[in-house]
Amino acid sequence: MVSIIIDRTAERANEDHDHRHEHAPVRAASSEPVTMPPVSVNGVPISRKDIAAETQNFPAVNPGAAWHAATRALVVRQLLLQEAQRLAVTANPQKDTDGRVETDEDALLRELVEREVHIPEADEEMLRRFYGNNRKRFVTPPLFEADHILITANRQDAAAFAEARDRAVSLAAVLAQEPERFAALARDCSDCPSREVGGSLGQISPGETTPEFEAALAALTPGEISAPVETRYGVHLIRLVRKIEGALLPFEAVKNRIADYLEDHVRRQATAQYIALLIGRAEIRGIALEGAATPLVQ
């Protein structure tokens, strides 16, 4: 976890530098993407070989951007390792939930951050304030009860898809006059297994259907039948039976989730500020990183 935080913090440590390179011409990839001066942190060199190996962890639009991102990550890692050594931090490798053991370096970084980066704990008032200001985050998704008639067709087969569209249009015309026939027409005409139950799809949550189907469903009112809706499966006619609006979850149900979110958010901010302080104190050659001259989090 600490390594992930450090890598992401390193990515942000010099955003302005990235913006200056954002519109640079894209160069052809090579084993040595860009020409850069030797890189060192307080006199400790970072080899070009290590930087080249690190670039695989930083996909970018051009080799130069990947090279800079990898260099920043290794510079930050070296800064933290040096600080751990200066403070005589002891590595106590731990196992993750899958039984994998930390390397000594990763353990040092974790121990350093846990020791030096102070994370204030959110109190009840802060948790409730966040809950009150972000109620939309804690609303359950709506549920839709829907029926449909599907005329299957492959989009790549233009003639077959046109025929499916025509059949759906014909069925839509019938349903416009006799909507009560929806279940019977589903049993007789639909190509979906749901035809056995009159086209019923039961309850549907957002994300469970195709985007086109979901958009059409969301636009319906209960009892309304859609116009033909085209998806990768063919052409549908959709009837919304009932919509169950999302409900606001009570504070107690989401209290722990809010606490975890705020703790993670504050930890990332505090770690970024701690790293900025170390950058401000260090002698870094070969890459420009912005640091802080005074403590930001204590």
Side-chain angles (χ1 to χ4, degrees):
M1 175 62 74
V2 172
S3 296
I4 294 174
I5 293 173
I6 290 167
D7 287 346
R8 289 178 179 171
T9 304
E11 289 180 31
R12 294 193 295 267
N14 197 22
E15 283 187 347
D16 289 341
H17 184 83
D18 274 351
H19 293 325
R20 291 195 293 273
H21 290 271
E22 197 172 42
H23 302 294
V26 177
R27 305 183 186 185
S30 65
S31 58
E32 198 167 285
V34 290
T35 300
M36 290 183 65
V39 178
S40 64
V41 181
N42 294 323
V44 177
I46 295 177
S47 73
R48 298 179 67 81
K49 180 180 178 182
D50 287 344
I51 295 172
E54 185 71 11
T55 57
Q56 66 183 333
N57 297 319
F58 295 91
V61 295
N62 62 66
W67 193 265
H68 278 276
T71 303
R72 289 199 304 274
L74 291 178
V75 165
V76 169
R77 189 176 183 87
Q78 180 58 226
L79 270 175
L80 291 168
L81 289 172
Q82 289 180 17
E83 186 68 3
Q85 183 177 15
R86 185 183 75 81
L87 297 175
V89 175
T90 302
N92 296 296
Q94 295 182 355
K95 290 183 179 181
D96 64 14
T97 54
D98 296 322
R100 294 172 297 192
V101 181
E102 288 177 308
T103 65
D104 285 344
E105 280 195 358
D106 283 342
L108 273 178
L109 298 184
R110 177 181 50 75
E111 295 277 358
L112 174 68
V113 171
E114 290 176 356
R115 170 175 158 178
E116 296 298 311
V117 178
H118 305 293
I119 312 298
E121 185 175 347
D123 58 19
E124 181 90 359
E125 181 183 354
M126 185 180 297
L127 296 178
R128 287 189 178 277
R129 188 183 311 122
F130 185 89
Y131 175 77
N133 292 337
N134 297 273
R135 287 176 175 269
K136 288 183 178 180
R137 291 189 179 205
F138 309 113
V139 174
T140 59
L143 289 174
F144 300 92
E145 283 188 21
D147 306 330
H148 84 142
I149 297 171
L150 170 64
I151 310 301
T152 58
N154 188 333
R155 274 192 179 276
Q156 306 306 315
D157 187 335
F161 206 86
E163 183 180 347
R165 187 185 299 114
D166 289 342
R167 287 185 61 198
V169 168
S170 296
L171 290 171
V174 173
L175 290 170
Q177 299 298 319
E178 302 175 90
E180 69 280 1
R181 292 185 59 192
F182 193 99
L185 289 175
R187 282 190 289 270
D188 292 340
C189 305
S190 180
D191 295 320
C192 177
S194 64
R195 64 179 176 271
E196 301 297 333
V197 285
S200 175
L201 295 172
Q203 291 188 340
I204 302 171
S205 298
E208 292 185 343
T209 61
T210 65
E212 303 92 341
F213 191 103
E214 185 170 308
L217 185 58
L220 296 175
T221 57
E224 187 179 5
I225 299 172
S226 72
V229 177
E230 299 179 8
T231 73
R232 64 177 177 271
Y233 299 108
V235 186
H236 309 252
L237 294 174
I238 307 166
R239 178 173 65 178
L240 177 61
V241 177
R242 182 166 67 120
K243 180 180 180 180
I244 305 171
E245 297 290 352
L248 177 66
L249 294 169
F251 171 74
E252 293 301 330
V254 296
K255 177 180 177 180
N256 291 339
R257 190 200 311 176
I258 295 172
D260 290 343
Y261 170 81
L262 291 179
E263 181 183 359
D264 182 67
H265 178 70
V266 173
R267 178 185 292 109
R268 290 183 183 280
Q269 280 192 324
T271 302
Q273 292 172 340
Y274 177 66
I275 289 171
L277 179 62
L278 295 181
I279 290 171
R281 294 172 176 172
E283 181 186 5
I284 299 171
R285 297 185 179 275
I287 185 172
L289 298 180
E290 294 181 358
T294 57
L296 300 175
V297 173
Q298 288 297 336

